[in-house]
Amino acid sequence: MTMISTERPPVAAILALGLTQIIGYGSLYYSFSILAPGIARDLKWSSKWIFGALSAGLLIGGLAAPAMGKWIDRFGAGRVMTAGSAIAAAALVACAFASGKIAFVAALIALETASNLVQYGAAFALLVQIRPKVAQRSITYLTLIAGFASTIFWPITTALNAHMSWQNVYLVFAALNVAVCLPIHAWLSSSVTRSRKRASAEPAKHVEPSLSPSIRSPAFMLMVTGFALESFVNAALLVHMVPVLSGLGLGAMALMVGTLFGPSQVLSRFINMVFGGGLPQLVLALISAVLLPAALVILIVTAPSVPGALVFAVVFGLGSGLSSIVQGTLPLALFGSEGYGQRQGQVLAIRLVVSSTAPFILAFLMTNVGVFWSLTVAATVGAIAVFAFVAISRLAHLPDPSHLALNRAET
């Protein structure tokens, strides 16, 4: 027991993986909004269709996620991430050399599918496979580092695009994935192999499930539902943050308010790292779920107040940042480390399928029922996520039926 309690997170692996997450999210996701106008112009498409292609890529990538989760458990997350870096680089090159709309959409689908091999889902699984007992802390540290991806890559992408075409920007990003991410993931792959050999000799190193077998299936369904609904609210508001704030009458202040979101995400991860170590992961999941609809209610009630909008951005960012942590730590705490990759793949699939529809649904609602009612619908969806995590808590405190049957038999 002493060895387990004194085990420390793999600092070198977390720092190295943090760098690859910044590059992975920055080059494969955050850069798209900056490059989209140039892509739309060259392909003679409207920006609506370009973002529609991105949603299609996210949707198809989500459908492939369960298979990727199985690969992570079977071959090791490090090997999967190494291959993912190579595939992502190839997809970026294919985007750069796409000769038309069909070729670009095919390359973009490949890119978003490959991103599942190198981003959070795979990275969390890698940390679990390297050192399961401290994986929850490791995931928290990783999300703190990776939280700077948008802060770093939005200005980098903007600066590069000011001096070169979007095609050449994609080629630079492809080189980064090959020259930086691929070698790091290959090195981490060897760490996973060593950890798996130790784990086979030391079964105690695994993290055991905290839920009894009889309630794991309903608890898993509730957890997936909560995460999917949170992702819906997140995706809808992130894409439409500035239009929503402008529609509420904030005008030029909308952009300034929106810039508070990113720092608030990082702040929530830092607060959790410093003060949240003793809290159960289910409590953290509940807090993150409550913060999202609470932020929307603040915005609805106070609009068009600038101070109210500022509070909204901070609270929403805190909830979103905490949510990204518990999406990695809660499955580990509830269901253990065995089969973690497959479970993450299943969760990711449903999350991506649901969240890929969110921007279109919110845009439709804003056009047809207005901003206030659209935010009310989003807040209601977020509230349902809260009830999902409350239901898990209620299930977790129910007595195990098998124990009750055993007690009756003994009586």
Side-chain angles (χ1 to χ4, degrees):
M1 294 297 292
T2 306
M3 287 180 62
I4 294 173
S5 62
T6 58
E7 193 171 7
R8 301 181 65 181
V11 176
I14 293 169
L15 292 174
L17 200 55
L19 176 59
T20 71
Q21 291 301 285
I22 288 173
I23 294 173
Y25 275 98
S27 63
L28 306 179
Y29 184 74
Y30 288 117
S31 65
F32 189 83
S33 62
I34 306 295
L35 302 177
I39 297 171
R41 182 186 63 248
D42 289 353
L43 294 179
K44 296 180 175 56
W45 256 4
S46 68
S47 58
K48 181 192 302 183
W49 283 106
I50 288 293
F51 282 100
L54 176 65
S55 293
L58 291 170
L59 178 63
I60 294 173
L63 295 175
M68 296 175 187
K70 291 180 181 178
W71 298 343
I72 286 171
D73 284 335
R74 181 177 179 183
F75 302 111
R79 291 179 180 175
V80 169
M81 295 186 80
T82 303
S85 293
I87 297 170
L92 285 165
V93 172
C95 283
F97 286 102
S99 56
K101 298 172 185 176
I102 295 176
F104 180 81
V105 171
L108 189 62
I109 290 172
L111 184 67
E112 295 309 323
T113 303
S115 69
N116 293 332
L117 299 174
V118 296
Q119 291 176 348
Y120 272 162
F124 292 164
L126 190 145
L127 292 174
V128 169
Q129 291 175 357
I130 290 177
R131 210 164 290 179
K133 287 293 183 180
V134 292
Q136 290 182 1
R137 274 190 292 159
S138 300
I139 288 170
T140 300
Y141 299 152
L142 177 64
T143 57
L144 179 64
I145 299 170
F148 291 98
S150 61
T151 306
I152 292 171
F153 262 80
W154 275 336
I156 286 177
T157 306
T158 301
L160 288 173
N161 200 36
H163 295 91
M164 62 180 69
S165 66
W166 63 268
Q167 291 95 334
N168 287 333
V169 174
Y170 269 153
L171 293 177
V172 170
F173 290 164
L176 276 177
N177 278 273
V178 170
V180 179
C181 298
L182 193 150
I184 289 175
H185 291 154
W187 167 65
L188 291 171
S189 177
S190 64
S191 297
V192 171
T193 302
R194 290 194 299 270
S195 297
R196 284 188 154 192
K197 288 179 180 178
R198 288 197 300 269
S200 63
E202 304 175 30
K205 290 291 183 181
H206 294 298
V207 176
E208 296 299 324
S210 63
L211 298 178
S212 61
S214 61
I215 62 171
R216 287 177 199 165
S217 292
F220 183 78
M221 294 303 298
L222 286 167
M223 183 187 71
V224 171
T225 299
F227 285 157
L229 295 178
E230 282 186 304
S231 295
F232 178 92
V233 175
N234 252 318
L237 267 294
L238 282 180
V239 171
H240 296 292
M241 179 80 74
V242 174
V244 163
L245 295 172
S246 299
L248 293 173
L250 291 169
M253 296 298 294
L255 185 58
M256 186 201 76
V257 171
T259 58
L260 289 177
F261 173 79
S264 298
Q265 274 192 312
V266 176
L267 177 63
S268 72
R269 293 164 185 171
F270 180 76
I271 293 172
N272 180 61
M273 182 181 72
V274 177
F275 301 108
L279 288 176
Q281 297 306 306
L282 190 53
V283 173
L284 289 175
L286 189 56
I287 292 172
S288 70
V290 168
L291 288 172
L292 296 180
L296 293 174
V297 170
I298 291 170
L299 184 62
I300 293 168
V301 171
T302 62
S305 163
V306 172
L310 293 172
V311 173
F312 151 75
V314 171
V315 174
F316 196 82
L318 291 173
S320 179
L322 194 57
S323 175
S324 64
I325 296 173
V326 296
Q327 285 172 10
T329 58
L330 186 61
L332 179 63
L334 296 182
F335 307 102
S337 56
E338 287 296 313
Y340 179 85
Q342 182 175 351
R343 278 191 297 275
Q344 282 294 87
Q346 292 167 344
V347 172
L348 182 62
I350 297 172
R351 279 182 48 229
L352 287 176
V353 168
V354 172
S355 62
S356 67
T357 65
F360 292 103
I361 291 176
L362 188 62
F364 175 83
L365 289 173
M366 287 193 296
T367 301
N368 290 278
V369 300
V371 175
F372 279 97
W373 283 109
S374 300
L375 290 176
T376 302
V377 171
T380 303
V381 171
I384 297 172
V386 175
F387 288 117
F389 293 116
V390 169
I392 296 174
S393 180
R394 295 288 297 273
L395 275 176
H397 289 90
L398 289 175
D400 188 343
S402 62
H403 291 168
L404 293 176
L406 181 61
N407 290 337
R408 282 196 294 268
E410 290 175 348
T411 303

